[in-house]
Amino acid sequence: MTAGPRPARRPGALRRVADAGLPYQLLTFAPFAAGWELYAREWGGLLIPTFTETVEATVELLGSAELWQAMYVSNQALVLGFGIAVAVGVPAGIVLGRFRLLERLADVYLNILLVTPMAAIIPLLVMSVGFGLASRVILVTIFSIVMVVVNSRAGVRQVDPSLIEMARSFGASERQIWTRVLLPGALPAIMTGIRLGIGRAVTGMVIVELLMVSTALGGLILEYRGLFKAPLLYGTIVIILAEALLLISVARWGERKLTGWAHTMTARSAR
């Protein structure tokens, strides 16, 4: 009796770490850190701290209540603004991708949001809604919603029209076409837009605090810059970057979980 095919062995821990790319990222980061350290020691002066000073300042900041209070205030605008961007941007992008007439009517406004310098909108927000949380939420939403809408629209456009015609030939209703064909087909692009929108949302969160209201993380940056506390300034920026990378990694993980079938189909078609 012939034995059946053996089940594929799960790769070991070292193999999974290597496949994740972490060793390669560390190899590229090590020369960067060494070059930073050498440059700051030789030519940095007062304004550029060394890499080790930045690490020490980052650890010090992580143990301070002032940083966590600033993170709490800043992330209020981030969570609310990005939540609105996703809740409004995903349905809007899907509808624009499905109905060409609505797309032609709204396309000019999307182009305006894509090309307008966002810093120029800040004075308009100040005059309209003041310096409170609402203005910060609006700016974060404006920063991130464009990426969500554009990618959601592109995802619907990428759905093969023959699939829609096939569904109609089998008697599918418009609701079934949306739930069984359009939304699953557009989901990879939607998740990509959400991932890109997170980075834009963090950018908007910091810019509005730097240019409009000197509060929270933006206020810390301005304070440390004014007092020439370069290690703490760089440490604050490192923490902001770490938060952005963490959020993008979470979004990428969610993308893999929700759209794993798309990667499988791509791999099969490439064979």
Side-chain angles (χ1 to χ4, degrees), residues 80-166:
L80 292 175
F82 185 67
I84 293 172
V86 172
V88 176
V90 171
I94 293 173
V95 170
L96 293 179
R98 178 64 171 153
F99 302 106
R100 297 286 181 171
L101 176 60
L102 293 178
E103 180 190 5
R104 286 196 293 267
L105 294 174
D107 192 57
V108 61
Y109 301 104
L110 287 177
N111 291 332
I112 289 173
L113 290 177
L114 284 170
V115 303
T116 300
M118 292 302 171
I121 300 178
I122 292 178
L124 301 179
L125 289 176
V126 172
M127 291 187 292
S128 303
V129 294
F131 290 94
L133 177 63
S135 58
R136 294 189 288 128
V137 170
I138 291 172
L139 191 70
V140 171
T141 302
I142 293 174
F143 255 82
S144 55
I145 194 171
V146 180
M147 290 296 174
V148 179
V149 172
V150 170
N151 281 273
S152 300
R153 182 183 63 179
V156 174
R157 285 179 175 177
Q158 291 170 2
V159 176
D160 191 349
S162 62
L163 297 177
I164 300 176
E165 295 300 326
M166 184 183 300

Side-chain angles (χ1 to χ4, degrees), residues 65-246:
E66 184 181 23
L67 172 75
W68 293 108
Q69 177 63 27
M71 292 279 289
Y72 172 74
V73 174
S74 293
N75 280 276
Q76 284 180 333
L78 177 65
V79 172
L80 292 175
F82 185 67
I84 293 172
V86 172
V88 176
V90 171
I94 293 173
V95 170
L96 293 179
R98 178 64 171 153
F99 302 106
R100 297 286 181 171
L101 176 60
L102 293 178
E103 180 190 5
R104 286 196 293 267
L105 294 174
D107 192 57
V108 61
Y109 301 104
L110 287 177
N111 291 332
I112 289 173
L113 290 177
L114 284 170
V115 303
T116 300
M118 292 302 171
I121 300 178
I122 292 178
L124 301 179
L125 289 176
V126 172
M127 291 187 292
S128 303
V129 294
F131 290 94
L133 177 63
S135 58
R136 294 189 288 128
V137 170
I138 291 172
L139 191 70
V140 171
T141 302
I142 293 174
F143 255 82
S144 55
I145 194 171
V146 180
M147 290 296 174
V148 179
V149 172
V150 170
N151 281 273
S152 300
R153 182 183 63 179
V156 174
R157 285 179 175 177
Q158 291 170 2
V159 176
D160 191 349
S162 62
L163 297 177
I164 300 176
E165 295 300 326
M166 184 183 300
R168 283 177 176 166
S169 66
F170 280 96
S173 63
E174 184 67 20
R175 178 176 176 273
Q176 290 174 324
I177 290 174
W178 279 84
T179 57
R180 303 292 180 87
V181 180
L182 289 177
L183 292 179
L187 188 57
I190 291 173
M191 294 303 299
T192 300
I194 290 175
R195 177 161 49 85
L196 296 175
I198 288 177
R200 296 264 299 181
V202 174
T203 302
M205 175 191 74
V206 176
I207 286 180
V208 70
E209 292 173 356
L210 286 174
L211 300 182
M212 188 173 71
V213 284
S214 300
T215 184
L217 293 173
L220 288 182
I221 291 175
L222 294 175
E223 177 186 349
Y224 297 145
R225 185 191 66 178
L227 297 175
F228 293 99
K229 295 182 177 180
L232 293 175
L233 171 62
Y234 277 62
T236 305
I237 296 173
V238 167
I239 291 172
I240 295 172
L241 292 176
E243 180 186 7
L245 291 175
L246 177 62

